[in-house]
Amino acid sequence: MFSLSNVKAQNNKIDSLKTALENHKANDTVRVNLLNDMIHQIYDVDVNNAETLLQESGDLAEKLNFEKGKADVIYYKAHIEIIKSNYPKAINYAKQALKQYTLLKDKSGESHSLNCIGIAYEYQANYPKALEYYKKSAIIDEGLNDLKGVAGSLNNIGNVYAYQGNYKEAILNYNRAKEIKQQLKDFNGVARAYNNIGSIYAEQSNFPLALENFNRALATYDSLQNKERTVMLLINVGTIYQIQNKLDEAIIYLNKALERSREQNDKRAIAICLNGIGNVYKSQFKNEKALVLFGDALEINRSIDNKSEIAKSLNNVADLQLVLNQENKAFANYNNALALFTDVGSQIGMCRTYLGLAKYYHSQKQYTEALKNTLKSQDIAIQLELIQLQKETAGLLSTIYKNTGNYKKALASHEQFKILNDSLFNKENIEKIAQIEYEYKYKQALDSANIRELQLTKTVMDTSQDLAKSKQNYLWAIIVILIMSIVSGSMVFYQKFNTIKLKNQSIITEQKLLRSQMTPHFIFNSLSVLQGMILNKEEKKSITYLSKFSKLLRIVLENSRDKVVPLIQELDAIDNYMILQNLDADTPYDYSLLVDEDIDINMLLVPPMLIQPFIENAIEHAFMEDQEHREIMVQLSFKEKKLSCIITDNGIGIDAMSQKSNTEKKSLATTITSERLRMLAKDFNMSGTISIKDRKKYQKQGTQVTLIIPYKITENS
């Protein structure tokens, strides 16, 4: 409600200034001040209209030789050039204004000009200069006891510290700015502080706190109906979803941000959006599309001479060039990015670039250089508490150590990778994020209902003023009835929404937990086998086993946190699992995988870890110890729009297995998978079932498991 009042006050001020300008036709200093006041209200949301008013104000101030008016005109010209991304021109105007204000002994004007210069330098990624001018502005504002000015300077100083990777100082300044803005009831400023704090938590991969702050800011801006200020928030939320592989949600937020930034012709924001959407395409393996967007972003950033964003675009382009086997081009772009990040003092940029160079050297099998650059990246990631980058460096170190024969360090790095990965995608984070998402959606709906209620009440009250005195009692009765209806409807809506929220949150968390239960069982079995090999001093065999196990573990870890994966990826996991089992088996399994020709394994997306538990059950329970020929067959078919998977073995059969005492694990796997399929069938809106039969019904030996698997079809990348 405070936010709505804030917007109403701002709109009232603009309306009041319009009326004053219409009534005051005299070409005097009063009109110049009115014009400049109007420009101040609209320049960041309506550049074209502001420039028109600025021309009139400038001509009139010059004609009257009104020095204060002329200084104000030059100051607003600087801000408009910043919006148009003409930063050198903006700095020139702001310095002219600073000189004028100094001659006039206008301390407030001096502070505003210094702050404007700092913004222009910041957008050029010249952080030392930006910090210098912001601190000068803050000193003047403190002397004037200008709380609004102090808060603005603190916020800008926080931005610079964040770009430099000094997150402790950044958060300290943002929180001080937020406290002042709350005291002043400046809700735009409060929202901006929440956004900035959320950005730091996002960099540190603390996604629940990041989303909490972003959604607070977004809810405030939405209730203020301030579309212009939501672009970076939409980008930030989209980026978090992209990192968590929630690509559908990510693309929605990033496309909204791109649309709004194009409406405002904000080149810097457009480039950031293009980079974000490019990263989503990259996650979807649409590499050519991603490369085009990264290239477009790079050209825009070069046109506005933003060194930091140029370097980020160069890194994005280089990452894809490595994937597309354009190693020499990637190497050149990484080095150019590193030079720019070093120049502007961006620690996080240097961290990402060192990691990119490490990947390049690894692809060239130059392991010494790869190790050196990975360790540099890791040191910065640890210093800045960047968990995502710590995870990536740990994963790369594991691979480098394995390739150089240092298996002890390879295993230690892999364990660190697993710990960091679990910290990013654990149950607590999943629950927190789900809760935050639904709270935000509920708040949006409630704010929307409040707005409709206010609009309806205002309409009724305006109408009542136009009617005769005799009808007012009748109208008030209608108002009471309407308000009672709205209150009753809101209560029903709240109860229904809360029920749906809790149900959906439960489903999301339950699916994550069910999937996570499928992973540890065979991991611990494999580690036990590996331990036995090491104790028996079977060095070569243990090294081979560790290599295969690491590959399988990586596939399982990647698959287990996704809702759906390409069918080819799921089949690859099964193949690697069987290879691993046969490495340790006294009697190898005769394993075969048959896929119908009409199934495109690249196009179909299926839930991960559905098939493997039944193969594991067959290995553990289906065969007698003295059985010599052990056969496991997996067949996939696609008929009548149903994806069927039949798993057969030639063991003792399900009927005989059910009489054995140690069958709890099999029952658990079947129960968990049945429950997963029940929920997935609702989510995918198609059938998902399990059928287990003894093959003696078909005059054969063994067990047959039939899965009807829900699926989605993806576009060809």
Side-chain angles (χ1 to χ4, degrees):
M1 294 301 293
F2 286 140
S3 299
L4 290 170
S5 301
N6 201 46
V7 151
K8 186 176 180 181
Q10 187 179 16
N11 290 336
N12 286 343
K13 190 166 186 178
I14 292 173
D15 291 339
S16 176
L17 286 168
K18 284 180 181 178
T19 303
L21 283 167
E22 289 172 1
N23 294 333
H24 192 91
K25 301 295 185 182
N27 290 329
D28 54 15
T29 58
V30 174
R31 183 166 180 81
V32 174
N33 288 332
L34 287 171
L35 287 166
N36 288 338
D37 285 345
M38 177 64 81
I39 293 163
H40 177 75
Q41 293 295 321
I42 68 170
Y43 74 83
D44 60 341
V45 295
D46 189 355
V47 174
N48 293 332
N49 192 20
E51 285 188 303
T52 302
L53 296 174
L54 202 59
Q55 183 65 47
E56 181 185 349
S57 177
D59 291 344
L60 185 54
E62 192 68 39
K63 182 179 177 182
L64 298 170
N65 198 26
F66 179 29
E67 297 299 332
K68 173 68 166 62
K70 287 193 284 186
D72 290 342
V73 167
I74 298 170
Y75 168 75
Y76 289 122
K77 281 183 179 179
H79 269 294
I80 287 173
E81 293 303 330
I82 287 174
I83 291 170
K84 294 161 72 174
S85 305
N86 297 326
Y87 305 125
K89 200 171 181 180
I91 291 170
N92 185 45
Y93 277 131
K95 286 184 175 179
Q96 289 181 42
L98 176 61
K99 186 177 180 180
Q100 289 282 89
Y101 287 129
T102 303
L103 290 172
L104 294 169
K105 297 182 179 180
D106 183 343
K107 288 293 183 182
S108 180
E110 288 181 46
S111 172
H112 293 158
S113 299
L114 290 165
N115 192 61
C116 184
I117 296 169
I119 292 171
Y121 277 126
E122 179 191 327
Y123 286 3
Q124 285 183 303
N126 189 337
Y127 301 131
K129 278 285 187 184
L131 202 57
E132 174 190 340
Y133 281 94
Y134 287 149
K135 287 183 176 179
K136 286 179 179 179
S137 175
I139 290 170
I140 293 175
D141 289 331
E142 286 174 358
L144 296 172
N145 197 27
D146 179 2
L147 293 180
K148 183 177 179 182
V150 172
S153 295
L154 289 171
N155 183 72
N156 291 333
I157 291 169
N159 288 342
V160 175
Y161 280 130
Y163 285 128
Q164 292 179 321
N166 190 343
Y167 294 140
K168 182 178 179 181
E169 284 297 322
I171 290 180
L172 181 65
N173 280 276
Y174 289 148
N175 277 320
R176 287 176 62 197
K178 184 181 70 176
E179 290 168 5
I180 295 172
K181 292 293 186 180
Q182 286 172 333
Q183 181 181 341
L184 297 173
K185 291 187 170 52
D186 177 1
F187 299 104
N188 271 309
V190 172
R192 194 178 305 116
Y194 278 129
N195 176 41
N196 293 333
I197 294 169
S199 297
I200 291 179
Y201 285 127
E203 290 288 2
Q204 296 178 319
S205 301
N206 191 336
F207 300 131
L209 277 179
L211 272 178
E212 180 181 341
N213 280 277
F214 288 151
N215 283 333
R216 283 182 179 179
L218 201 54
T220 303
Y221 280 140
D222 283 344
S223 62
L224 290 169
Q225 301 175 8
N226 191 340
K227 293 182 179 180
E228 291 74 17
R229 298 280 177 94
T230 59
V231 171
M232 290 309 300
L233 274 166
L234 292 168
I235 293 170
N236 290 337
V237 175
T239 301
I240 286 181
Y241 283 129
Q242 186 263 324
I243 292 170
Q244 295 190 300
N245 211 31
K246 295 183 176 182
L247 303 182
D248 292 339
E249 292 94 332
I251 207 73
I252 290 171
Y253 279 94
L254 290 168
N255 276 326
K256 278 184 183 178
L258 180 60
E259 180 184 348
R260 292 185 185 181
S261 56
R262 280 176 171 161
E263 287 173 0
Q264 299 165 41
N265 195 29
D266 186 338
K267 293 180 182 178
R268 181 171 176 269
I270 291 170
I272 294 172
C273 292
L274 293 174
N275 273 325
I277 296 170
N279 279 319
V280 174
Y281 284 144
K282 179 183 170 185
S283 300
Q284 295 173 326
F285 306 105
K286 300 175 183 177
N287 295 329
E288 297 298 336
K289 284 186 178 180
L291 192 58
V292 170
L293 291 177
F294 290 153
D296 290 344
L298 178 59
E299 291 305 311
I300 292 172
N301 285 322
R302 280 175 171 159
S303 73
I304 61 177
D305 194 28
N306 187 316
K307 291 181 181 179
S308 182
E309 294 300 327
I310 290 171
K312 289 178 186 177
S313 295
L314 286 170
N315 268 349
N316 287 335
V317 171
D319 287 343
L320 270 185
Q321 287 171 334
L322 267 188
V323 174
L324 298 172
N325 299 318
Q326 300 173 14
E327 288 90 350
N328 291 336
K329 291 181 179 179
F331 183 65
N333 282 322
Y334 281 135
N335 279 308
N336 290 334
L338 183 59
L340 288 168
F341 281 132
T342 304
D343 186 34
V344 302
S346 174
Q347 289 290 308
I348 187 170
M350 294 164 66
C351 180
R352 289 196 171 105
T353 311
Y354 282 131
L355 182 59
L357 284 168
K359 290 177 181 176
Y360 163 78
Y361 285 121
H362 182 264
S363 72
Q364 302 299 303
K365 299 184 179 179
Q366 298 180 34
Y367 298 125
T368 302
E369 287 297 319
L371 180 60
K372 182 171 71 175
N373 281 275
T374 308
L375 290 173
K376 285 181 180 179
S377 179
Q378 187 183 57
D379 287 344
I380 298 173
I382 292 171
Q383 177 188 343
L384 301 183
E385 300 180 19
L386 307 174
I387 297 176
Q388 179 69 25
L389 285 169
Q390 288 180 49
K391 184 193 89 169
E392 292 182 35
T393 54
L396 185 55
L397 282 173
S398 176
T399 305
I400 293 170
Y401 285 133
K402 184 178 75 173
N403 289 333
T404 54
N406 193 337
Y407 298 109
K408 184 176 180 180
K409 285 190 175 181
L411 185 58
S413 295
H414 186 79
E415 287 298 320
Q416 184 64 16
F417 170 87
K418 183 177 182 298
I419 291 168
L420 291 165
N421 187 71
D422 289 345
S423 73
L424 288 171
F425 300 99
N426 58 30
K427 173 179 176 288
E428 184 179 357
N429 273 1
I430 291 164
E431 290 176 336
K432 282 183 180 178
I433 290 170
Q435 180 69 25
I436 290 165
E437 286 173 348
Y438 286 111
E439 282 178 358
Y440 169 60
K441 289 176 182 177
Y442 168 69
K443 190 176 188 316
Q444 271 191 320
L446 203 58
D447 284 344
S448 179
N450 285 337
I451 291 169
R452 288 196 300 272
E453 179 182 350
L454 288 172
Q455 289 173 339
L456 179 59
T457 304
K458 184 177 183 300
T459 301
V460 173
M461 292 180 70
D462 288 345
T463 304
S464 68
Q465 292 174 1
D466 298 331
L467 295 176
K469 183 78 173 180
S470 59
K471 296 183 179 180
Q472 284 188 355
N473 290 336
Y474 178 72
L475 276 173
W476 279 114
I478 293 176
I479 292 171
V480 171
I481 293 169
L482 286 172
I483 292 174
M484 290 176 64
S485 300
I486 291 168
V487 171
S488 301
S490 297
M491 291 175 64
V492 172
F493 166 78
Y494 172 79
Q495 291 175 350
K496 184 176 180 181
F497 185 88
N498 201 40
T499 301
I500 294 171
K501 179 187 75 172
L502 292 173
K503 183 179 178 182
N504 287 345
Q505 184 180 341
S506 174
I507 290 172
I508 290 169
T509 304
E510 193 173 354
Q511 285 200 20
K512 291 280 185 180
L513 291 174
L514 288 173
R515 288 209 306 274
S516 69
Q517 289 179 44
M518 313 301 285
T519 309
H521 182 222
F522 80 87
I523 292 177
F524 295 136
N525 282 350
S526 300
L527 289 174
S528 297
V529 171
L530 182 60
Q531 184 184 30
M533 290 179 180
I534 294 170
L535 292 173
N536 292 330
K537 298 183 179 179
E538 299 174 291
E539 185 177 346
K540 291 184 179 179
K541 191 174 181 181
S542 63
I543 290 171
T544 303
Y545 192 93
L546 177 60
S547 175
K548 297 294 183 184
F549 173 67
S550 297
K551 183 176 180 182
L552 177 61
L553 185 61
R554 184 169 59 253
I555 294 171
V556 171
L557 286 172
E558 290 172 354
N559 287 3
S560 66
R561 72 167 183 260
D562 293 331
K563 185 177 179 180
V564 291
V565 297
L567 180 57
I568 187 174
Q569 201 167 309
E570 180 74 353
L571 298 181
D572 189 31
I574 297 169
D575 282 340
N576 278 280
Y577 177 74
M578 287 307 303
I579 291 170
L580 194 65
Q581 292 296 330
N582 277 330
L583 278 175
D584 183 55
D586 296 328
T587 304
Y589 300 94
D590 183 3
Y591 165 71
S592 58
L593 173 63
L594 303 176
V595 182
D596 282 1
E597 292 181 358
D598 55 350
I599 295 179
D600 189 334
I601 57 178
N602 292 296
M603 294 276 290
L604 287 180
L605 299 176
V606 297
M609 297 294 291
L610 279 177
I611 303 172
Q612 183 270 342
F614 294 98
I615 298 175
E616 185 178 358
N617 279 333
I619 290 172
E620 290 197 6
H621 305 293
F623 303 104
M624 302 294 291
E625 289 185 6
D626 57 351
Q627 184 170 336
E628 293 184 0
H629 179 62
R630 303 183 178 190
E631 180 180 316
I632 297 176
M633 178 183 293
V634 179
Q635 296 174 281
L636 282 96
S637 59
F638 191 77
K639 295 178 181 178
E640 298 178 356
K641 297 184 178 180
K642 289 186 178 181
L643 178 61
S644 173
C645 176
I646 300 175
I647 306 156
T648 57
D649 63 65
N650 65 338
I652 60 175
I654 186 67
D655 292 344
M657 288 167 60
S658 63
Q659 297 173 8
K660 294 172 66 177
S661 59
N662 188 23
T663 58
E664 289 85 354
K665 291 180 180 177
K666 174 184 177 300
S667 301
L668 178 61
T670 304
T671 302
I672 291 174
T673 307
S674 298
E675 185 65 15
R676 279 189 69 198
L677 283 171
R678 182 183 67 80
M679 292 187 293
L680 289 165
K682 293 179 181 179
D683 193 18
F684 284 60
N685 198 24
M686 62 173 64
S687 62
T689 59
I690 300 177
S691 172
I692 304 176
K693 297 180 181 178
D694 198 301
R695 295 179 71 194
K696 67 184 180 182
K697 296 180 180 179
Y698 309 109
Q699 288 74 50
K700 295 183 180 180
Q701 181 179 336
T703 303
Q704 175 177 303
V705 178
T706 303
L707 299 175
I708 303 299
I709 302 175
Y711 63 89
K712 291 182 179 180
I713 299 176
T714 184
E715 62 176 282
N716 194 353
S717 60

